[in-house]
Amino acid sequence: MTEIDRSEVAGLTPAQARARFRDGLVTPTAGWSRGWTQANLVVLPREEAYDFLVFAQRNPRACPVLEVFEPGAVSGALLDGDVRTDLPAYRVFRDGELVEEPTDVRSWWRDDLVSFLVGCSFTFEDALLVAGIDVRHQSEGVNVPMYRTSVRCRPAGALSGPLVVSMRPVPADRVADAVRVTSRYPGVHGAPVHVGDPGALGIEDLDRPDHGDAVTVRPGEVPVFWACGVTPQAAVVESRPTLALTHAPGHMLVTDGRDTDLLLA
Amino acid sequence: MTEIDRSEVAGLTPAQARARFRDGLVTPTAGWSRGWTQANLVVLPREEAYDFLVFAQRNPRACPVLEVFEPGAVSGALLDGDVRTDLPAYRVFRDGELVEEPTDVRSWWRDDLVSFLVGCSFTFEDALLVAGIDVRHQSEGVNVPMYRTSVRCRPAGALSGPLVVSMRPVPADRVADAVRVTSRYPGVHGAPVHVGDPGALGIEDLDRPDHGDAVTVRPGEVPVFWACGVTPQAAVVESRPTLALTHAPGHMLVTDGRDTDLLLA
């Protein structure tokens, strides 16, 4: 993200941000279009979509569904755009195998595909910053670190998989504040699922995340873990659907929804 | 509810309460098994279940799904019992027509039926009582008044219908408290959808609810309206599925879940 002016991209409207990605820019989206909701994307054939919704219902922390498009639709209430072109990067899975990481999925599109927009913890990062809590991957200009844990999600039909978490280091005396701030956003993963002790989650080395980039954990800081929208992606891959399209980790859909709409009164 | 000892039924475990209903007792369940979560029931063929989940996602205030059983299953994480026998009263709809109001639906059961447990505002009534706010239908020993409104839900596939609300009169100086208390329970309808002015919801006469019983609104009290779990029932009926089983309004499933699990931290 070194070539990107972070203060400039924070001020872009969602439509402006999506235009850049549609034009070919590939970058993690943390910090982009501040105040606008970013979403994980999972696209599945209609035949596999029911299991996905039940999986989401059973694992609401990891899989908070913000919107379900009609079968074949490329836009919806939260997106006045084209879900096939407007993300910086996608992943294409056939029978559970990653076959491509394109910047456009129009060639894969079918009329029976259902797009799920799933809440993303980037939404509450602005609230953390307002509370004076540094969001390390933003200040270090890298992608958020994500880890596959040894915790299993509740299965649903063909879908099962590990809980995937994102990690942000928080000073020990601000952990309670980080919990309070993020618990007000249940629609985007909400409160942390785990504080400290990566080993209890089966994470062997914080410096080697499964997705994204490692960040500095300073002395006096505690690693805090939130459920991550890559969780449904991992379950979808394990279930080996004939076709699945997703965002590339950290490369989210910038929607036309406002973060404040996800804030509890 | 005149023959029922209200303080006794408030103290029953869910299993004890369900045993009474299984043995034939027919009564609204408000005030029963205090502290344990009560749920609306909607049972649909698997083929119609996808639309129901999308409808729930699009109308979360009215249709907060607490659990989805596996197809054909009669119990689940929130029910160590039998969903076909353990409610005080059911409704059976064929092609959208109410054909029976039995106390047992075993004769209607099929292996492709999916049971949805949907949050019920009875859950937050205990919290209102603790806050010193009278719950009028409980103190008057009747069923909660429910109204079909002129507000339409967001449709999903074959499902569309009116928003149905429950009403509780609240003293004007306690309305803000009622909002605060109930907004901490988003999984069971959460904050009111409307305060005062029944006409704006298309309700012509508070004394003639569409379901349940009228309650006294005292001078200085304001009618406060919460989204009601009869909403999904109304949408299901309008969509005329081949078969639908539901609870009878006010006659809920007393689950093995605790209200505190639905309380926001």
Side-chain angles (χ1 to χ4, degrees):
Chain A
M1 236 167 127
T2 43
E3 298 156 32
I4 291 169
D5 179 339
R6 288 183 54 238
S7 65
E8 189 223 339
V9 301
L12 295 180
T13 67
Q16 288 168 333
R18 293 192 304 255
R20 301 247 186 134
F21 305 141
R22 204 161 50 234
D23 290 346
L25 178 66
V26 178
T27 176
T29 52
W32 281 65
S33 298
R34 188 158 286 170
W36 299 92
T37 302
Q38 299 198 14
N40 298 275
L41 176 68
V42 176
V43 181
L44 289 172
R46 167 66 183 82
E47 200 169 287
E48 335 251 2
Y50 175 76
D51 283 353
F52 187 83
L53 280 176
V54 177
F55 182 84
Q57 195 280 325
R58 292 186 184 163
N59 300 280
R61 280 285 186 80
C63 197
V65 177
L66 300 181
E67 185 167 12
V68 185
F69 289 179
E70 294 297 313
V74 300
S75 61
L78 287 176
L79 174 64
D80 181 17
D82 189 327
V83 77
R84 303 170 302 176
T85 55
D86 289 4
L87 281 72
Y90 299 83
R91 287 186 159 182
V92 178
F93 298 88
R94 294 188 70 173
D95 301 317
E97 300 294 328
L98 178 65
V99 294
E100 206 182 312
E101 201 160 293
T103 59
D104 178 322
V105 289
R106 279 178 294 184
S107 63
W108 292 98
W109 201 254
R110 306 189 324 214
D111 283 347
D112 70 329
L113 292 180
V114 177
S115 295
F116 298 95
L117 310 192
V118 176
C120 166
S121 54
F122 288 175
T123 295
F124 59 56
E125 291 186 347
D126 195 31
L128 289 170
L129 291 171
V130 168
I133 298 171
D134 181 48
V135 175
R136 190 62 35 82
H137 58 276
Q138 284 200 38
S139 58
E140 295 188 346
V142 297
N143 196 354
V144 62
M146 294 164 267
Y147 306 85
R148 291 167 67 98
T149 72
S150 55
V151 177
R152 298 293 293 182
C153 292
R154 282 184 68 193
L159 289 178
S160 72
L163 173 68
V164 180
V165 295
S166 62
M167 190 278 288
R168 292 162 189 79
V170 177
D173 65 350
R174 302 305 309 277
V175 169
D177 296 325
V179 170
R180 283 193 309 111
V181 166
T182 58
S183 66
R184 296 179 68 199
Y185 292 89
V188 289
H189 305 304
V193 291
H194 192 97
V195 177
D197 193 8
L201 290 174
I203 299 170
E204 292 178 9
D205 186 350
L206 281 181
D207 288 332
R208 295 193 318 178
D210 295 293
H211 306 283
D213 304 304
V215 298
T216 310
V217 181
R218 298 179 188 146
E221 289 183 338
V222 176
V224 180
F225 301 92
W226 282 266
C228 174
V230 175
T231 304
Q233 192 177 114
V236 162
V237 171
E238 281 198 16
S239 77
R240 313 181 79 76
T242 51
L243 178 65
L245 314 176
T246 73
H247 70 289
H251 299 67
M252 320 306 289
L253 172 64
V254 181
T255 77
D256 295 302
R258 286 183 187 277
D259 288 348
T260 46
D261 290 340
L262 295 167
L263 179 64
L264 278 170
Chain B
M1 236 168 126
T2 44
E3 298 156 32
I4 291 169
D5 179 339
R6 288 182 55 237
S7 65
E8 189 223 341
V9 302
L12 295 180
T13 67
Q16 290 168 334
R18 293 193 302 256
R20 301 247 185 134
F21 305 142
R22 204 161 49 235
D23 290 345
L25 178 65
V26 178
T27 177
T29 51
W32 281 65
S33 298
R34 189 158 285 169
W36 298 92
T37 301
Q38 300 198 14
N40 298 275
L41 176 67
V42 175
V43 181
L44 289 172
R46 167 67 182 81
E47 199 169 289
E48 335 251 4
Y50 176 77
D51 283 353
F52 186 83
L53 280 176
V54 177
F55 182 83
Q57 195 279 325
R58 293 187 184 163
N59 299 281
R61 280 285 185 81
C63 197
V65 177
L66 300 180
E67 186 167 11
V68 185
F69 289 179
E70 294 297 313
V74 300
S75 62
L78 286 176
L79 174 64
D80 181 16
D82 189 327
V83 77
R84 302 169 303 175
T85 56
D86 289 4
L87 281 73
Y90 299 82
R91 288 185 159 183
V92 178
F93 297 88
R94 293 188 69 173
D95 301 317
E97 300 295 329
L98 177 66
V99 294
E100 206 181 310
E101 202 160 293
T103 60
D104 179 321
V105 290
R106 278 178 294 184
S107 63
W108 292 98
W109 200 255
R110 306 190 322 214
D111 283 346
D112 70 329
L113 292 181
V114 177
S115 294
F116 298 93
L117 311 191
V118 176
C120 166
S121 54
F122 289 175
T123 295
F124 60 56
E125 291 187 346
D126 195 30
L128 288 171
L129 292 170
V130 168
I133 298 171
D134 181 48
V135 176
R136 190 61 37 80
H137 57 277
Q138 285 200 38
S139 59
E140 295 189 344
V142 296
N143 196 354
V144 63
M146 293 164 268
Y147 306 86
R148 291 167 68 97
T149 72
S150 54
V151 177
R152 298 293 294 181
C153 292
R154 281 185 68 193
L159 289 178
S160 71
L163 173 68
V164 180
V165 295
S166 62
M167 189 280 286
R168 293 161 188 80
V170 177
D173 65 350
R174 302 303 311 276
V175 170
D177 296 326
V179 171
R180 282 194 310 112
V181 166
T182 58
S183 66
R184 297 179 68 199
Y185 292 90
V188 289
H189 304 303
V193 291
H194 192 96
V195 177
D197 194 6
L201 289 174
I203 300 170
E204 291 178 8
D205 186 351
L206 282 181
D207 287 333
R208 295 193 318 177
D210 295 293
H211 307 284
D213 303 305
V215 297
T216 310
V217 181
R218 298 180 188 145
E221 289 183 339
V222 176
V224 179
F225 300 93
W226 280 265
C228 173
V230 175
T231 305
Q233 192 178 113
V236 162
V237 170
E238 282 198 14
S239 77
R240 312 179 81 75
T242 51
L243 178 66
L245 313 176
T246 73
H247 70 289
H251 299 67
M252 320 306 290
L253 172 65
V254 180
T255 78
D256 295 302
R258 288 182 185 278
D259 288 348
T260 46
D261 289 340
L262 295 168
L263 179 63
L264 277 173

